[in-house]
Amino acid sequence: MMITLSMIVKDEEKYLRDCLNSVADVVDEIVIVDTGSTDNTIEIAKDFGAKIYYFEWIQDFSAARNFALSKSTGDWILYMDADERLEKSSIDEIIELTSSLEKKAYLCKIICPIQNSNIPEVIKYVRLFKNSTEIRFTGSLHEQITPSLDMNGYKILHSSVEIFHLGYNVSTEEMNKKYERNLIHLNDELSNRFDPYLYFKLCETYAGLGDVTNALKHYTILTQVAEAPSIYKAHAYKYLAYYEMENNNYIRALEYTLTGLSFDKSIPLLNIAASKIYLHNNDYLNAFNYSMIALETNRFDENKLFETYIEDEEIFLVAFTSAALAFNRDMYNYVYKKLQNYPMNIINDRRFVNLTFALFNDLQVEDSLIKSADSIVKQCNLNFILNLLKNYIDVETKLNILKRLEDRYEEEYSLLISFGKNLYEMKRYSEAAEKFDKALMKYMPEPSDLFLVISCNMFAGNFTKISHLIRLAENQYKSHPEIIIKLNELKVKLAAVNYKEDLNA
């Protein structure tokens, strides 16, 4: 069977050669429709023996695509953009899929690397279909072929064909130009006809531009559109949930997250959002369970038309943290065993995993891990390690690790408080007070920590400092009567201590 690569291009000299190289061993005909290039695009196309046609741009992608189809003579059509590359391993599959003349079309995996992210977005679009004069693209922007295929009785099937789309792996400036261009077309088209797919793209475009006000407005409207597919609504709730999380409104965030999951339980970002919210709410069992669901759903599913995936490392860290805060060895070791089935580089530094495993199970920590703790423990998982150290039995090892961590995170409030607490438990009050002093230069502690700091200074004999702390606390917690009562009790005790000192003097 003859396969035609059908393309529309404009000023694509940066991308075109690699695109055409990627399909050279599978297509029999290359049809390129140029809409006004002023660079070397045409010369590159000629190098590959392409049939070149010209089409005056009329702000309509479907019109240009359909013109390209009218010039394509192959039995099958593969359509791509210049900034796309066919994965070499997909060539044999394409040859096999196009071995008949049945009215079929195939969904292909479009893998979209994202700027400043290690995890791509994966979308499934029909890119390969049996050629027919009856098949036409529709939509001036985000053109679609599926409606025409459905109308003409085509079977739309899944495939494993992979196409890498580089258009999102560009600078923020370039991406914003695309979004601005698309926004104009989307609003124009939606003013003439409402289409849930286009409306979803409008929401994504506002989100991509960072226009939070319009993104929130339109995603909220989308959740109420009866004819919108469930997957669109689920992703709308995902955006709303993450917005509320960023603004520390965890009650509303959880509502949006669970509503989104009611439409689609398999969205990794919603499951990890639920896990983080429950973690914030100290519901460690639910946090752990949702992290495990996130891990299971963070895999390509051929039945899903699109999905944004997340790094497995992020999921494992949330799961480990949930287990650590619950101090549940069964949960922790379950995650640890799961991790063994993943590539070594899933968590960038396996020394981190070995360190946490030893701490959680009260095992002896290797000297090499103690000495390199400052390089092993990153900012993003510091609090996780501190929680593990809280319950670790070997006091000397614990202090040695804290010392190493202080070399790197000497200004980190949570580390200083943790270090101070451990020294306090060892009755090394003066040293503990020094750590607490450094921490107080950053933040006023939580009430429970505040009274510990005051107690520490009392044992250390720093009575002047205690008076200063009480004044600070009275100002900070003046709207909390239960704390003020305790502070007044402390003032009475402190006055009694000062009175005795005066007598002894």
Side-chain angles (χ1 to χ4, degrees), residues 124-137:
K124 292 210 88 173
Y125 284 135
V126 170
R127 289 302 190 87
L128 182 67
F129 56 90
K130 172 70 179 62
N131 195 8
S132 168
T133 56
E134 297 173 334
I135 301 302
R136 288 289 178 267
F137 286 90

Side-chain angles (χ1 to χ4, degrees), residues 416-436:
L416 294 167
I417 288 291
S418 178
F419 208 160
K421 285 180 179 178
N422 280 282
L423 291 166
Y424 177 86
E425 289 170 6
M426 296 175 70
K427 299 183 179 180
R428 293 162 62 171
Y429 301 120
S430 295
E431 292 174 73
E434 288 178 13
K435 304 301 178 188
F436 289 141

